[in-house]
Structure formats: structure tokens, C-alpha cells
Amino acid sequence: MAIQVNMHEAKSQLSALVERVLSGEQVTIARAGNPVIDLVIHREDRPVIGALKGTFTYDADAFDDADAEIREMFYGSAD
């Protein structure tokens, strides 16, 4: 069931409106009869750290050893 309340009523009845949302109702707050906002239950999004661990592989030597041209740019001639 969806209900629409005006801003003044929402201010004075906020606790009751929150309880209605928690019980499954849809509550819309309106200003001058125009819907402005919907009250919804907060859903926390937590990132999953390490979810792809072991999915990818790489060649460590390709990353650990600097390319000869790059090594020369940073450290000068290899002679």
C-alpha cells in the first residue's frame, strides 16, 4: 500500500512513517501536493575485499624487471 503525506504531517509523524516503511509500506512526502521524496529502507553496500583472489595470474618477472629502455632513461647508459 502506498501513502502520500504532506511535508508538515511528515515532520510531526516521522517516527510513525518510518515504522510504516519498515513494515513494508511505501511512503511519499509531498510539498504543495507534488511528490518530492520517497522514504525507503537504507541498504548498506559493503565491498567484498579479495573476491577475485586466485582468479587472475600474471608473470611477476614482466613487472619486476624494468625494460632496458626505461632503465636507461632513469639510470643512464648501461655501458
Side-chain angles (χ1 to χ4, degrees):
M1 177 179 195
I3 63 166
Q4 180 172 309
V5 296
N6 63 36
M7 191 70 70
H8 180 72
E9 183 182 354
K11 287 179 187 179
S12 61
Q13 300 294 320
L14 183 60
S15 294
L17 294 173
V18 168
E19 288 302 318
R20 291 177 82 164
V21 169
L22 291 174
S23 69
E25 289 187 56
Q26 296 178 344
V27 176
T28 300
I29 300 174
R31 182 181 290 150
N34 296 318
V36 176
I37 191 165
D38 294 319
L39 292 180
V40 295
I41 297 173
H42 175 73
R43 306 224 188 275
E44 188 171 343
D45 294 331
R46 292 182 168 247
V48 178
I49 309 255
L52 298 176
K53 185 175 182 177
T55 304
F56 301 99
T57 60
Y58 69 96
D59 180 13
D61 292 335
F63 290 97
D64 293 339
D65 293 334
D67 181 270
E69 182 181 357
I70 294 173
R71 192 171 38 248
E72 185 176 333
M73 289 187 323
F74 279 97
Y75 305 113
S77 178
D79 296 345

